Structure formats: C-alpha cells, structure tokens
Amino acid sequence: MGQTISEKIISNHVGRKVYAGELVVSKVDAAMASDTTAPLTIKAFQDMGGKNVFNPNRCAFIIDHAAPSPNERIANLHKMMRDFAKEQGMRLFEIGEGICHQVMVENQYVKPGDIFIGADSHTPTYGALNAFACGVGSTDLAATMMTGKIWLKVPQTIKINCTGTLQDGVTAKDLILFLVGKVTVSGATYQAIEFCGEAFEGLSLASRMTIANMSSEMGAKTGIVHPKGLQLDYDFDPIAPDEDATYIKTFNFDVSGLEPQVSAPESPDNVHNISNYEGTKINYAFIGTCCNGRLEDLDIAAKILKGKKIHPDVRMIIAPASQRVLLDAMNNGTMNTLIEAGASLITSGCGPCVGTHQGVPADGEVVISAANRNFRGRMGNPNSNIYLGAPSTVAASALDGHITNPKKYMV
Amino acid sequence: MSGVQTNIKAKAHVYGDHIDTDRIIPGKYTKTLDLSTLANHVLEDLDPNFNKIVQPGDILVAGINFGCGSSREQAPLALKQAGISVIIARDFARIFFRNAINIGIPVLEIADHNIQKDAELDVNLKTGIVKDLSTGKTYEATKLPDIMIDILNEGGLVNYLIKHGNYSL
C-alpha cells in the first residue's frame, strides 16, 4: 500500500511501515525552543527528573521572541536559558543571530527526511526541506529533550496540487495566502499537507519555507513541499510520496492567473485579491518574520524602493530573519537601499510580529505586514488592524501610503 | 483518576469559533514564569470581564478550532490558573489540545454541542458524558487516545514521565 511523505518519514523512524491513524512513539532527530517556550520547558524538564538532554548537538535554544530583552523580567528568563544551555553543552543562539526557524535551517539542525520537534507553532517551516516538522508546547518539548522521542498519531494527508506558474510580480507569499484562504484556518487540523505540482517546483528554498511556514495557519500538524526541484548545498535523498498513497482530500488549483493576495483583519484566512483592499490607508509597514524575512524578501522590497522614499505618513520596519540574511543584504546593497528609502532596521527576531516590543502599533492604526498572523492584538495592540501581504506588497504600500498592487513597480 | 477530579458540576463560560491563543493570552504577557500574571490577563482582548466573573471550577465552552495560533503553553496554563476545570469545544487546534492534556486540564471534544451562555453542566470525565442541566440535553465527548488518558490520569506529562521514565503505548 502506497505511502505519503509523512507516512514514509515516520516509518523510517519507527522501523516499520506505518499508516495514517496509527499511534506511534517515534525517535526525534532534533529539537528546539525559543525564549517564549524555553523557560517553561526548562522548568518541566527539571520537574520531570531530566538530567541530560538526549543529544546536546541536536537540541538548541534561540533567543528571538524578545531580543534584546525589553525588561528585567525577560532578561532573567534569557539568563535562565543561557545557564541551562551551558550546563547541558547545547547551543544557544544569541540575540540577533536570528529567528529560530531560519537559524535551524542555516545551521543544518534539520535535513530532508528528519523528524524535528520545535516549541513554536511555525515549526512546519522545515517542510520546505522535505522534513516532518511539528510544533509543540513547552512540556512536550521538555519530554522530547529528555527522551529523544515523541508520541504522535500518524496524520492523514491533504494534497494541494497547484498547476501553472506564477505571473511576474506574484510571489510564494501570494500563493500561500491564497491557499490559506481556500483551505481555511481549521481546514487541515490534525492533518499533514503535501504541496505538489508545477507551481512549487521552481521555487527557491526561501520561497518553499514561506509556503510550509503557513501550514500552521491551516491548523496542520506539518506541511511538506514535494522535493521535486529542491536544491540544497549538500547531497540528500529526497522523499517523495508513492503514486498510490492515500489522501483524505485533494485540492487542485491552476495558479497561473493568480493576483497578489491580501489577508484582512482579523484572521489569516480572510484572503482576497489585492484589488479589494487597494487604497486602504496604512500607517506602518513591516517586513520580517519566519515567514518573509529572508534575503529574497528584502531584495524584492529593495528593488521596489530603490531611489525612492517611503510615504511621509508611513513608518517602515525591517527585521531580517537572521544575521546571515542581514550580512548578505548588506553585502549586496539591499540594506542600504532600504534604509535610504526611509526604513528602520531592527535586530533579527520576532518582536513586532508577536507584539513583544520593537514596533507596537497605536490605537486605530493600520499595519501592512509580511508576517503570517493578523489575529486581533497580535502585534501588541488589540485596537490596531493588521493586513498581511507579500514583501512586494508591503514595500509598494509603504511608498504609496495605502495598500497598493506591487505589480506597477515590478515591471 | 489520581490527578484529576472525575465529576465536575459547574457553570459554563461560552465563547465562539476560532478563539486564538493571542485572545487567550496576548504574546506580550507570555514571557513569565509567574502564573498569576497569566491569570490576570486571560481572555482580556475577548472578554475583559472574564477574570472578574470566573470562579474556581468553572467550565470553558467554545466552538470550533479553539486555541489556534501559537504553541504557547501559557494559554492553557492561564485558563487553569484562572480556575477553569475543563474545556469543552466542538474541536481544538492540535497544539493547544496536547498542551492542555500535558498540563493536566481535561479537554472534551463535542462536535455537536449547543451549550449556551451560563449553562450549568455536569461533566463526567471518566465516561466523557456531559449533561447540560439548563436544557436537559446530554452529550458524549470523542474518546481520547489511550496515551492521552494515561497522561491526564497522572495529572499531566511531568507526572507521567516521573512515573514511567519514558513513553509507553
């Protein structure tokens, strides 16, 4: 009987063929927690009698959600993480090194075919790498760090097949926003997603990460991009589904005519063509996050902003996904272009997206953001409104002072 | 059940669909190990009165996709600290569902419930039978996987691992 990608990866880890619906205890290749989840993880690890993490080379902490620390309370939680990591001999990625998902990929904590457990809901991002990656909470993560294992129900899989190629000026973010709108925020709960078809085959690793990242906005346990076309700078054995694999549901879309997409407040699946929102006045434009803070995202914004100034009533914040992304964007001139256009650069991290610090909107303000969530209060103020779009849309809107189709700046 | 009370009779606080973890506890309050901070801000962007009216033992009831969004365990912890004894929803987001069990809050999935605001409920956690004393209706929750029942019976995953040292199916 044929298997999906998830069934194959889990089978490889439990040493027998398993299929959707089975409960398994699987070994885990690597695990991580951020500064939102690590303090509770450390507490649970100690409370459950944990002595040593299962493999200090495959466990990591990342300080990204409130980096650098905005107050003494959080400073003390960061210290607790540093102390624990040192004691365990595991790596702690410091403030500014980057957003957890970006640094896990850059530092090869995750590779194709792996099972990765992360105490962050956007852990499915690694599905871009053909890995089975799940988000969990702190206590689950503590248990995984102690035992090297997790219990899982082998998920059923939804197949999303996209034919056609995206038009110029339409990006992976537009594609995944469109898909979230179709599948809805609870459309894949408890299930895995496989993204396959021509539209994904030509995508870069960065774009594939944007796609897999928003699997969690459909409620999915994991979201894996078909490995066809995946290019990495090391050799790997791709894991593709069998032709006779069983899917609970299949979506087919021809995306060759797709327009730029916008998700309106206050749910990521409230997605429409950008034409519905063009002209909506904005106060604040944000590019960053685990969804869209990579080099290609900053490059496309720089291309639109080159030699221009953002609208005088708009402030723009850029948070590169990692230090490596920042260095690359400095080396290729992108960072100069963005700052000359009037953008403000902040430390690599999650701050504005998760409402911790570094850019909380005021009452009544409107934000256009390249992030993945626009729940009420998400950016720290329940009286503001967040629209989600591609980095290109954010840059074009920052220029015009209102939501703008970026295509006019991209031809 | 050693760690969890089997029978709960209490008032229901009823909310709608897709209550995300930012509504349950905003991200700005999550960076703490002080559970009273979480309880003080629980559900504040959804219902500013909640933490004034909630009584120890009360029941939270919601529609579909309860707890969607972030992986923050602070969300079920905030509800537990505020006194919520059991959460009933038409269905749950998966990380929230695991987190609640892991910290010892029973979660009951009842796809067809029609429980209304301030209903008095009688919940039997052993059988998963929920009686709505306000309407006389009876519901049966979806059965949890055995491992989740085992974790819940120990009062959460910490106690489960103290006892077993590892996972067993």
Side-chain angles (χ1 to χ4, degrees):
Chain A
M1 197 165 114
Q3 289 185 303
T4 63
I5 298 175
S6 297
E7 288 167 340
K8 284 188 178 183
I9 294 176
I10 297 171
S11 295
N12 291 343
H13 283 75
V14 300
R16 65 190 164 86
K17 269 201 161 189
V18 295
Y19 292 91
E22 289 184 56
L23 277 182
V24 300
V25 172
S26 173
K27 64 178 186 195
V28 167
D29 296 294
M32 70 86 191
S34 77
D35 50 335
T36 290
T37 51
L40 281 170
T41 298
I42 294 169
K43 191 174 175 296
F45 183 87
Q46 289 163 344
D47 288 349
M48 61 181 60
K51 298 277 182 288
N52 300 303
V53 300
F54 78 97
N55 180 349
N57 297 320
R58 308 310 299 161
C59 293
F61 283 165
I62 302 93
I63 299 181
D64 58 0
H65 277 60
S69 52
N71 57 46
E72 75 267 33
R73 174 173 45 82
I74 295 178
N76 288 329
L77 295 175
H78 288 171
K79 180 176 185 296
M80 178 184 179
M81 291 172 67
R82 291 184 184 105
D83 291 348
F84 182 88
K86 189 168 258 181
E87 181 188 303
Q88 292 288 334
M90 56 187 257
R91 178 137 180 216
L92 177 130
F93 290 87
E94 264 297 346
I95 57 162
E97 285 197 75
I99 297 172
C100 53
H101 306 306
Q102 186 66 19
V103 299
M104 288 297 94
V105 172
E106 286 176 357
N107 291 277
Q108 296 184 14
Y109 275 77
V110 56
K111 288 185 166 181
D114 281 356
I115 293 184
F116 189 106
I117 300 300
D120 186 273
S121 60
H122 287 112
T123 304
T125 304
Y126 318 141
L129 286 166
N130 202 209
F132 182 92
C134 276
V136 297
S138 296
T139 303
D140 256 332
L141 204 269
T144 292
M145 283 177 48
M146 183 170 104
T147 63
K149 293 178 189 155
I150 189 156
W151 77 266
L152 286 171
K153 194 172 193 177
V154 182
Q156 296 173 314
T157 297
I158 295 175
K159 181 175 178 173
I160 298 180
N161 180 40
C162 293
T163 54
T165 50
L166 299 175
Q167 296 175 47
D168 286 347
V170 180
T171 66
K173 179 62 166 292
D174 299 302
L175 175 54
I176 191 63
L177 285 176
F178 168 77
L179 295 174
V180 171
K182 292 295 178 197
V183 177
T184 79
V185 287
S186 56
T189 302
Y190 307 132
Q191 294 163 347
I193 297 172
E194 276 180 22
F195 299 96
C196 64
E198 193 187 357
F200 300 103
E201 289 166 12
L203 295 181
S204 65
L205 175 62
S207 285
R208 286 165 187 254
M209 287 172 75
T210 302
I211 298 284
N213 177 274
M214 289 194 76
S215 303
S216 54
E217 272 58 65
M218 298 180 266
K221 182 178 282 189
T222 194
I224 306 180
V225 184
H226 193 289
K228 191 167 180 192
L230 174 65
Q231 291 185 349
L232 299 171
D233 49 18
Y234 51 85
D235 293 333
F236 64 97
D237 293 322
I239 297 179
D242 291 325
E243 274 184 21
D244 58 343
T246 304
Y247 295 92
I248 181 159
K249 199 169 187 180
T250 300
F251 289 91
N252 287 298
F253 299 105
D254 176 355
V255 297
S256 50
L258 189 72
E259 289 291 317
Q261 302 288 301
V262 165
S263 167
E266 48 192 41
S267 179
D269 63 357
N270 187 15
V271 176
H272 301 277
N273 284 338
I274 194 166
S275 54
N276 289 272
Y277 301 106
E278 277 180 279
T280 304
K281 202 173 164 305
I282 60 153
N283 308 96
Y284 172 3
F286 175 51
I287 298 180
T289 79
C290 54
C291 191
N292 271 132
R294 283 172 280 277
L295 186 65
E296 68 178 28
D297 303 317
L298 305 187
D299 283 350
I300 202 167
K303 214 170 149 188
I304 291 168
L305 292 171
K306 191 163 181 65
K308 304 190 178 84
K309 289 275 182 204
I310 60 170
H311 193 278
D313 296 337
V314 174
R315 59 192 186 277
M316 182 171 198
I317 292 180
I318 306 281
S322 70
Q323 213 159 58
R324 192 172 300 174
V325 169
L326 172 60
L327 286 169
D328 289 345
M330 286 167 69
N331 288 331
N332 75 0
T334 280
M335 201 44 74
N336 266 23
T337 303
L338 294 173
I339 292 171
E340 278 165 5
S344 172
L345 171 68
I346 61 166
T347 305
S348 290
C350 316
C353 172
V354 74
T356 314
H357 64 158
Q358 291 186 318
V360 176
D363 290 351
E365 285 196 328
V366 175
V367 185
I368 180 80
S369 166
N372 38 31
R373 290 196 173 133
N374 57 356
F375 302 133
R376 180 139 305 274
R378 171 72 181 177
M379 292 180 77
N381 185 347
N383 301 314
S384 62
N385 285 310
I386 308 163
Y387 291 79
L388 306 177
S392 45
T393 298
V394 175
S397 305
L399 275 182
D400 288 6
H402 51 77
I403 294 177
T404 298
N405 189 328
K407 276 172 134 181
K408 69 173 179 181
Y409 292 114
M410 292 170 79
V411 285
Chain B
M1 292 204 169
S2 56
V4 182
Q5 202 187 334
T6 309
N7 231 305
I8 296 165
K9 210 165 159 181
K11 191 178 114 169
H13 301 267
V14 183
Y15 298 99
D17 294 339
H18 305 294
I19 307 297
D20 58 76
T21 53
D22 279 277
R23 307 279 178 105
I24 299 171
I25 184 77
K28 60 192 169 190
Y29 304 122
T30 55
K31 282 91 184 157
T32 182
L33 292 173
D34 174 15
L35 300 182
S36 64
T37 304
L38 301 177
N40 288 339
H41 295 286
V42 67
L43 294 174
E44 73 176 18
D45 289 345
L46 180 71
D47 179 358
N49 283 321
F50 178 79
N51 83 19
K52 297 182 196 90
I53 55 171
V54 64
Q55 296 294 318
D58 279 359
I59 298 167
L60 193 83
V61 176
I64 61 166
N65 202 26
F66 184 77
C68 61
S70 125
S71 68
R72 63 190 68 152
E73 198 165 286
Q74 290 88 337
L77 274 173
L79 292 167
K80 187 180 185 187
Q81 188 68 20
I84 292 297
S85 60
V86 53
I87 305 169
I88 296 169
R90 292 203 176 140
D91 66 36
F92 291 86
R94 61 164 284 277
I95 302 179
F96 183 93
F97 193 68
R98 284 182 78 113
N99 283 346
I101 301 275
N102 285 342
I103 63 158
I105 290 200
V107 277
L108 299 180
E109 191 176 270
I110 302 176
D112 62 348
H113 86 71
N114 188 25
I115 298 166
Q116 300 296 316
K117 190 169 182 282
D118 297 335
E120 280 292 320
L121 303 181
D122 185 345
V123 178
N124 185 321
L125 290 173
K126 222 168 190 161
T127 59
I129 301 287
V130 174
K131 288 184 192 148
D132 184 338
L133 302 175
S134 309
T135 63
K137 274 191 195 163
T138 296
Y139 302 102
E140 189 173 353
T142 309
K143 193 178 176 302
L144 291 173
D146 287 344
I147 187 164
M148 282 190 145
I149 293 173
D150 292 346
I151 292 169
L152 208 46
N153 284 346
E154 298 301 338
L157 185 57
V158 167
N159 288 341
Y160 174 95
L161 283 170
I162 289 172
K163 186 167 172 184
H164 298 279
N166 213 326
Y167 289 111
S168 55
L169 283 180

